[in-house]
Amino acid sequence: MERRMELFRDVIAAFDEGFDLAEKYDSMVHRYGEETLYQSEMHLLQAVGRAPGITMTEIAVNASKTKSACSQMVHKLQKRGLLTQVRNSQNNREYKLYLTDRGREIYCAHEEFDEACLKRSYTYLDNFSEQELLVYIAIQKRLNEAFKADIDENG
């Protein structure tokens, strides 16, 4: 039992290190041509690029963010000429979001960059079998359940 707990502590330490690195990466600004964007801004552009006509409410729900936070970001990106809002003809209170030509260029450049990063990361895992990757997924999903329970209990 003691050895298993020590291994578990190592798992959590590795997870924490990965989380810290991901957080550091997400907080960096990224340059796309002449545009500089934070990851959160790029994620919003991605959501619109992948689902043209999506609403702020849908983005907020999918990203677990408030509508107010999404609205502020949409207005910021709209001012920069990357997004447009079109009033929904069936619901005057709702706006559908679309990328501008400039926004689409940045979205496409980011998708290419993401794909290159994904391929690079994929090669780092060449030594692991499909079964080992499936075990990792199962472990991570179970840990996510524990993390959600922590949030529910303490949030």
Side-chain angles (χ1 to χ4, degrees):
M1 182 69 163
E2 184 113 358
R3 174 73 178 136
R4 185 174 170 89
M5 178 53 90
E6 192 58 38
L7 281 173
F8 177 70
R9 289 181 194 282
D10 290 346
V11 166
I12 295 302
F15 174 85
D16 286 344
E17 181 182 3
F19 178 83
D20 290 344
L21 290 168
E23 193 174 49
K24 184 175 184 176
Y25 182 82
D26 279 350
S27 68
M28 294 168 46
V29 291
H30 299 269
R31 194 138 183 85
Y32 302 97
E34 296 189 18
E35 259 333 296
T36 301
L37 297 169
Y38 286 97
Q39 281 296 94
S40 57
E41 294 169 328
M42 193 62 237
H43 288 160
L44 194 140
L45 287 180
Q46 273 184 308
V48 176
R50 290 178 179 165
I54 193 169
T55 66
M56 274 189 269
T57 301
E58 292 168 323
I59 291 172
V61 168
N62 294 341
S64 299
K65 298 198 182 289
T66 65
K67 286 196 309 187
S68 175
C70 286
S71 177
Q72 288 175 16
M73 198 176 305
V74 163
H75 291 299
K76 184 178 176 182
L77 293 171
Q78 191 175 12
K79 272 184 171 179
R80 292 167 73 175
L82 304 176
L83 285 180
T84 60
Q85 294 185 79
V86 176
R87 191 178 295 272
N88 184 345
S89 59
Q90 280 104 28
N91 179 352
N92 272 347
R93 295 176 49 208
E94 186 176 78
Y95 289 89
K96 294 181 179 259
L97 303 172
Y98 299 92
L99 296 177
T100 62
D101 289 341
R102 195 160 143 225
R104 195 170 298 102
E105 285 175 24
I106 291 168
Y107 165 76
C108 290
H110 183 265
E111 290 296 292
E112 288 176 23
F113 175 76
D114 258 4
E115 187 62 26
C117 289
L118 193 64
K119 286 178 180 176
R120 182 182 58 236
S121 296
Y122 178 79
T123 63
Y124 275 67
L125 302 178
D126 276 349
N127 295 343
F128 295 97
S129 69
E130 285 184 26
Q131 186 59 39
E132 288 171 312
L133 294 175
L134 289 169
V135 168
Y136 170 79
I137 292 168
I139 291 169
Q140 187 61 59
K141 284 183 177 182
R142 193 69 173 140
L143 279 174
N144 290 350
E145 290 174 17
F147 297 154
K148 286 176 187 171
D150 289 345
I151 291 168
D152 292 343
E153 184 178 305
N154 296 299

